[in-house]
Amino acid sequence: MEVIGDLPRELFLEILLRLPVESLMRCKCVCKYWYALISNPKFIELHLKYNCNNNVCVLLKRCLLTCLGERENMLSLVCSSGFSFINLDVDLSLYKKEPCLQLLGHCDGIICLSNYRDDIVLCNPATRETMVLPESCLPCYSSISNLIPQTSALGFGYDSRTHHCKVVRIISYWEERSGSGLPHHSRVEVYSLATGSWKELNVKVPAHVWYSPCFETYFNGAFHWYAIDDNRNEVILSFHMGNEEFQVIPMPSALSLYDYSMCRSLFVWNGRIALVIYPRKGIEKSFQIYVMKEYGVRESWTKILTIGPLTKVEMPLAFWKNDEILMEGSDGLVVSYNLKTQELKDLPIYGVPKSFATLVYINSLVSVKGGNRVLDGDNTDFDW
């Protein structure tokens, strides 16, 4: 079958694979054949692989002030070419004015959003498709009368065994008048796109998740949180999406006991976990970067470099393109620091201070409702 005149089908496919999602969505309206081709799960897989190798971006969440002084969340995409950015037309009606909106992770073009209290939403910003997850399978009350349940951690990532995305939730139960600062116990549940439902896991949570800015990270098949163990040591708590088990990863031995004046942030840099230590306050800040050269091994933590001191920089947001770090300025402006040239560059992106969150992101046609071959693991050859 000739697709466009005498244009070979392989060449036509290569052209389509290079188109952005927005253009492909319009192409689906041309004719039934194009619609079937672009909707084919194998094409969706090939398009995702092409973008993984060629079109990696940064998804940025920030708050903007309206003319009435109200805060509204905005999602923007920062592209590698000249740090250009576009605002995404995504329906955030559920969380539009939510000051605590969190980006929980990214998986094959799908992102997970929540405010830790209400609904959890899966969203593909490129196709503008969204889905609210069903209610928790865990009861909203405790069998012990004086315990109060609270969502303490959420994570989102890819299970390479089943080829499906999963959401993990830790619910902690707190005593009403306890002065220990640690929960009485915790329960864990997992939502899978394969089943479309939640299930409770019979596992013990070996550490207690605490907040630390820009720390929650998916890497190596596992989601990672900042946590405190029962001995009140700082640790990294990870949950593996495949075997659905927790692991405690120690912090670098060079770090002293927890110092509230210092922040810890976690990123993926050059295919490894990177820990950034920096002051919580101050006009000038220095940023120490540690890299875990062997995953899970405390002795492999290595201090790579120290950035700064830098003025009017609050916190790191994302490692990008191997030698760039996006950072939040103290005035609500996003800046980029080049590790090679040590130059700090202001970007034309602003927002309410301390409202920023980022994800390294890839545009895709993958549906939030599943049914994609890229998620189902079917490696059947592409059928024209």
Side-chain angles (χ1 to χ4, degrees):
M1 174 181 177
E2 293 184 350
V3 179
I4 302 179
D6 295 326
L7 190 66
R9 292 181 297 179
E10 290 76 12
L11 179 57
F12 176 61
L13 176 61
E14 288 297 321
I15 293 173
L16 288 183
L17 291 177
R18 285 161 170 76
L19 293 180
V21 172
E22 185 176 352
S23 298
L24 288 172
M25 297 296 285
R26 290 197 296 267
C27 288
K28 291 172 71 173
C29 301
V30 173
C31 64
K32 291 182 179 180
Y33 177 76
W34 284 29
Y35 180 90
L37 174 63
I38 296 170
S39 301
N40 187 301
K42 190 60 179 179
F43 177 84
I44 294 174
E45 180 182 6
L46 292 173
H47 184 261
L48 175 64
K49 287 182 178 179
Y50 178 84
N51 281 343
C52 286
N53 295 326
N54 299 279
N55 296 318
V56 178
C57 305
V58 170
L59 184 73
L60 180 74
K61 190 277 298 183
R62 55 193 167 130
C63 283
L64 300 176
L65 288 178
T66 69
C67 58
L68 299 177
E70 297 179 335
R71 296 188 179 192
E72 288 191 355
N73 288 302
M74 170 70 72
L75 294 180
S76 303
L77 208 58
V78 184
C79 304
S80 58
S81 56
F83 292 105
S84 60
F85 76 99
I86 57 173
N87 295 328
L88 300 177
D89 183 17
V90 179
D91 181 15
L92 291 178
S93 55
L94 188 64
Y95 293 132
K96 189 172 184 180
K97 297 181 180 180
E98 171 56 57
C100 299
L101 178 63
Q102 300 291 318
L103 294 180
L104 301 177
H106 164 262
C107 175
D108 292 338
I110 300 173
I111 63 173
C112 187
L113 303 165
S114 178
N115 61 2
Y116 275 66
R117 297 189 311 274
D118 304 316
D119 295 319
I120 300 172
V121 176
L122 297 183
C123 171
N124 183 325
T127 63
R128 304 174 188 174
E129 184 184 29
T130 60
M131 179 177 70
V132 179
L133 297 193
E135 293 184 1
S136 167
C137 70
L138 299 179
C140 59
Y141 58 88
S142 172
S143 58
I144 304 175
S145 60
N146 65 332
L147 295 183
I148 301 173
Q150 183 181 46
T151 298
S152 60
L154 288 165
F156 180 61
Y158 183 72
D159 177 2
S160 60
R161 293 186 179 184
T162 64
H163 303 279
H164 284 272
C165 297
K166 290 180 177 178
V167 178
V168 57
R169 170 160 42 194
I170 302 175
I171 297 181
S172 298
Y173 294 82
W174 301 80
E175 296 184 28
E176 288 185 284
R177 294 180 176 82
S178 173
S180 67
L182 297 177
H184 182 273
H185 68 280
S186 298
R187 299 170 71 176
V188 183
E189 62 180 349
V190 169
Y191 177 89
S192 172
L193 262 69
T195 62
S197 61
W198 292 94
K199 69 173 182 179
E200 183 175 6
L201 302 181
N202 184 23
V203 295
K204 183 182 184 299
V205 183
H208 310 286
V209 176
W210 288 69
Y211 171 76
S212 189
C214 296
F215 199 96
E216 299 174 350
T217 300
Y218 173 80
F219 172 73
N220 200 32
F223 199 86
H224 302 75
W225 302 272
Y226 174 78
I228 304 292
D229 66 13
D230 290 335
N231 297 319
R232 298 187 180 276
N233 296 313
E234 290 181 90
V235 296
I236 299 171
L237 178 66
S238 72
F239 178 83
H240 196 279
M241 294 292 174
N243 59 29
E244 297 182 344
E245 294 179 353
F246 287 99
Q247 179 183 357
V248 173
I249 301 174
M251 291 285 193
S253 56
L255 298 184
S256 58
L257 293 176
Y258 180 69
D259 182 357
Y260 183 75
S261 67
M262 303 296 288
C263 291
R264 285 91 161 98
S265 295
L266 196 70
F267 302 96
V268 177
W269 181 33
N270 290 333
R272 291 173 174 165
I273 285 287
L275 181 68
V276 184
I277 314 295
Y278 55 97
R280 189 176 300 273
K281 298 180 179 180
I283 298 177
E284 284 190 340
K285 294 184 178 183
S286 294
F287 300 82
Q288 303 174 54
I289 301 178
Y290 292 80
V291 169
M292 179 176 279
K293 294 188 175 181
E294 186 176 350
Y295 183 78
V297 179
R298 182 174 192 171
E299 291 72 22
S300 72
W301 280 113
T302 305
K303 185 177 179 180
I304 300 298
L305 57 92
T306 298
I307 298 174
L310 302 177
T311 59
K312 296 184 178 180
V313 174
E314 283 295 320
M315 68 180 73
L317 294 175
F319 281 78
W320 195 33
K321 299 191 300 183
N322 298 329
D323 58 357
E324 296 278 350
I325 305 179
L326 294 185
M327 312 181 85
E328 178 183 341
S330 56
D331 54 0
L333 191 70
V334 176
V335 299
S336 175
Y337 181 83
N338 188 289
L339 295 171
K340 293 181 178 178
T341 65
Q342 300 183 8
E343 293 180 349
L344 198 64
K345 178 181 179 180
D346 291 344
L347 303 182
I349 308 171
Y350 63 90
V352 175
K354 298 184 179 180
S355 70
F356 293 88
T358 60
L359 291 172
V360 176
Y361 175 77
I362 299 164
N363 276 307
S364 84
L365 292 160
V366 176
S367 172
V368 300
K369 298 177 182 178
N372 311 279
R373 186 168 299 168
V374 64
L375 298 180
D376 294 340
D378 187 345
N379 292 320
T380 306
D381 291 337
F382 187 75
D383 183 12
W384 284 84

